[in-house]
Amino acid sequence: MTNQAYLERLRSLSNRLVALQKPIRILDAIKWPSELEAIFCAKGGRELPQLGADFYQNQRLAFDTEKVYQQLKELKTDVRRDLGRGDALGHILLATIDQYQIVIELLKARGTHQFGHFSKLLYGSAQDKIRGDRKTLREMGERLCHVFSLPAVEHLNRPYTNNISSEQAVSSLLWRMNDYFGNGEVRVEISDDIVSDASAGGDCIKINRRAVFSELDLQVLEVHEGWVHIGTTLNGRQQPWATWLSVGSPRITAIQEGMAVLMETLTFSSFPQRARRISDRVVAVDLAEQGADFCEVYRHFLDRGISEHDSYRVTQRVFRGGTLSGGSVFTKDISYVKGFVENVNFIRSAIQSGVPEIIPMLFVGKVTLDDLPLLYERYLEGVIAGPKYLPPMFRDLNGLYVWFGFSSSMGLMNIAKVQQHFSKLFQKMPVSVPLYPDKTDVELD
């Protein structure tokens, strides 16, 4: 088989997977009606949300599960035959197909105890350990929740208010997307179908018609949904042969969401309250995995001073698709903290190992960290196209190198003793006041 023949086969098999996965939409299949929140809160958060025993059965899927599962099975057979059992790119393709087969099992099990089993197979558990470390994700989440709840957070509370309508948000984000990607490459639209304030899919950002935003929110959406989620999709679509890199199975979720959170951090777009919400998600997953029901998880966050709205949102994200009594839940929300930590460790390790050139491959498409060495090798061979859309700090790695270089070196310090030294100094200060005491509105241009 000639090299060209191999590449043609690779593209044909990849295109088949892209087509088969198109109607498989996990979040659409497990979303809850928006009116449930008002009903739940009106009852004091003491009664489980009234979904109904046949709620998920009435949420019809957009595809025939048995038919698509069989087609995925046939595709696996063809990948092994046409690419060879030892083909490295074929292994990535097979792993991705496996994921979609598990996704189908997950969706068939909505509302049952089996749902949590398949969710853990796809996304992992809050009790998983961080790669290369002894800490669990729950322990990391608790630590971050503590950091982002310190009194200093209130001292940094900027006077940004939610005074940007959904229509204004669409206009602002469209301008930002055109500036980054070029005119007409990305759409930004009002939506009545999403539960979250905003979401990205393919080359489109959807904005919830009922949502209002702050300027900080728009900065987060620009880099999180735009630069990362849409950027990697469009880079995947640029692939001449490995076209499956344009679609995201759950195996790539942690790296995607972690990179999106990291990008918020590197661009100084995030803020402590948002980081706290992301950290809370890990805690919520663990509580629910351990058997806490919806009301118990909701009350946990309410008792920690979280608003009714945010307590409901973080709880609802975890229980959608599973059982309201706990134990069988949707574990995707561990991905943000898990992916952030693993991406940071990957970048630091690439720098320490003298291979920083592999770092931009994080944006080549929908990938996992384990995929990157092989994809970089195939990039050098001309099989994989380099990422077209790259955030500026990943296009010129000098600043990123220095940032992570300093951060790696400072990690060697004994932070407890350093804190002890400066605490004595701070004790001599007068009573401090918040930096931004006035909650004035932000004027829009």
Side-chain angles (χ1 to χ4, degrees), residues 7 51 117 156 176 246 307 313 325 332 354 383 397:
L7 293 175
L51 282 181
H117 165 71
L156 298 172
R176 295 166 192 246
S246 64
S307 69
R313 281 292 183 91
S325 57
K332 172 183 177 287
V383 176
L397 292 172

Side-chain angles (χ1 to χ4, degrees), residues 112-129:
T112 73
H113 291 290
Q114 277 294 96
F115 180 88
H117 165 71
F118 291 118
S119 181
K120 289 179 185 179
L121 289 180
L122 293 168
Y123 301 104
S125 163
Q127 286 299 312
D128 291 345
K129 289 183 170 56

Side-chain angles (χ1 to χ4, degrees), residues 159-161 163-164 168 176 214-215 440-445:
Y160 288 102
T161 55
N163 61 350
I164 302 175
Q168 290 171 311
R176 295 166 192 246
S214 70
E215 182 62 28
T440 54
D441 287 347
V442 174
E443 301 223 353
L444 296 175
D445 294 333

